[in-house]
Amino acid sequence: MSISGIQGQPLEITVVGCSKLKDTEWISRQDPYVCLEYASTKFRTRTHTDGGKNPTFQEKFVFSLIEGLREITVAVWNSNTITYDDFIGNGKVQLQKVLSQGFDDSSWPLQTKTGRHAGEVRLIMHYANANKPATSYAPSAPPYVAPPIPQSSLYAAPPPSVGSYLPPTTYPAPPPPYSPYPPNPAAYVPAPYYPPAQAAYPAAYGAPSAYPPPPYPPPPYDPSHYHTGPFPGIYPPPPY
């Protein structure tokens, strides 16, 4: 599996401890420490005094990864106060698993200068960007982006293709909005009032009249038209 895009990414390595180390002391217990080297970066743990063959450290270091470099050199030494430090063994730590899976907790074998087994060193490595795609390479195809849906306005003008074949249409002006004030009476002229025509006196019920209807209004009173002679009888009449 090819892994790319790791340049400058952080790699965390925790030195847990060693087991079954070669003993370089004849009388007292040895004092081991571990050295890590990646390119030009070097780290050293503290010395575990009287650690013997199974020292513990529990120290974490952070390396900056380099593209194309997939291994770290680990070496274990015995610290001396008077003479030079004694070399116990070294080995190569492969980074392929931690770079692909993001985590690796393994023990790595150590060898002496003559190639003999010199014990093991346990390292816990963590790479946070293992599941992220490489940033130095473009994707094979651009991501799909859905085309935008055109939004039509309720009062939008007709499209140019329709307007070029249809005559322009004019619409009446909308009525003015309702006014909260009463209308002005001077603005309205009432229609003229015409009284109904007066009908002439009706004819007698049951048969048409042979005489024309009298004029209206009646002529003024003239006593000479009426008989003024004496009337028989006495008014008031006598009692019975």
Side-chain angles (χ1 to χ4, degrees):
M1 178 179 178
S2 177
I3 301 173
S4 59
I6 66 172
Q7 181 68 32
Q9 300 294 331
L11 174 66
E12 298 180 359
I13 298 181
T14 300
V15 182
V16 180
C18 300
S19 61
K20 302 177 182 179
L21 290 179
K22 173 189 174 183
D23 196 352
T24 58
E25 294 288 345
W26 294 94
I27 301 174
S28 62
R29 301 185 64 179
Q30 60 185 1
D31 307 319
Y33 63 89
V34 177
C35 295
L36 299 175
E37 182 177 355
Y38 180 73
S40 59
T41 304
K42 298 180 181 180
F43 290 105
R44 179 188 184 278
T45 66
R46 60 178 176 82
T47 300
H48 186 176
T49 305
D50 295 333
K53 295 183 178 181
N54 301 292
T56 57
F57 303 100
Q58 295 293 343
E59 295 187 46
K60 183 173 67 174
F61 305 98
V62 179
F63 291 86
S64 182
L65 291 172
I66 299 175
E67 194 73 42
L69 187 56
R70 298 289 190 274
E71 64 180 18
I72 291 179
T73 301
V74 57
V76 182
W77 296 75
N78 174 38
S79 178
N80 292 321
T81 56
I82 300 176
T83 61
Y84 294 106
D85 294 350
D86 299 323
F87 175 78
I88 298 177
N90 64 0
K92 298 292 183 179
V93 177
Q94 302 299 322
L95 303 180
Q96 191 70 20
K97 180 180 178 180
V98 65
L99 295 180
S100 61
Q101 301 180 11
F103 183 80
D104 186 6
D105 182 358
S106 305
S107 295
W108 302 89
L110 302 173
Q111 293 183 350
T112 63
K113 293 180 180 180
T114 58
R116 302 185 62 179
H117 182 71
E120 296 179 346
V121 57
R122 181 185 174 190
L123 304 178
I124 297 178
M125 295 181 289
H126 181 258
Y127 179 52
N129 297 326
N131 296 327
K132 297 181 180 180
T135 57
S136 59
Y137 291 87
S140 57
Y144 173 75
V145 178
I149 300 175
Q151 300 292 333
S152 60
S153 174
L154 182 61
Y155 301 99
S161 59
V162 177
S164 59
Y165 296 99
L166 297 179
T169 304
T170 59
Y171 299 94
Y178 175 75
S179 174
Y181 300 98
N184 184 8
Y188 299 91
V189 179
Y193 173 76
Y194 299 96
Q198 298 291 334
Y201 290 100
Y205 180 77
S209 175
Y211 300 94
Y216 183 85
Y221 174 74
D222 186 1
S224 63
H225 292 176
Y226 299 91
H227 180 73
T228 58
F231 294 92
I234 302 173
Y235 183 84
Y240 293 100

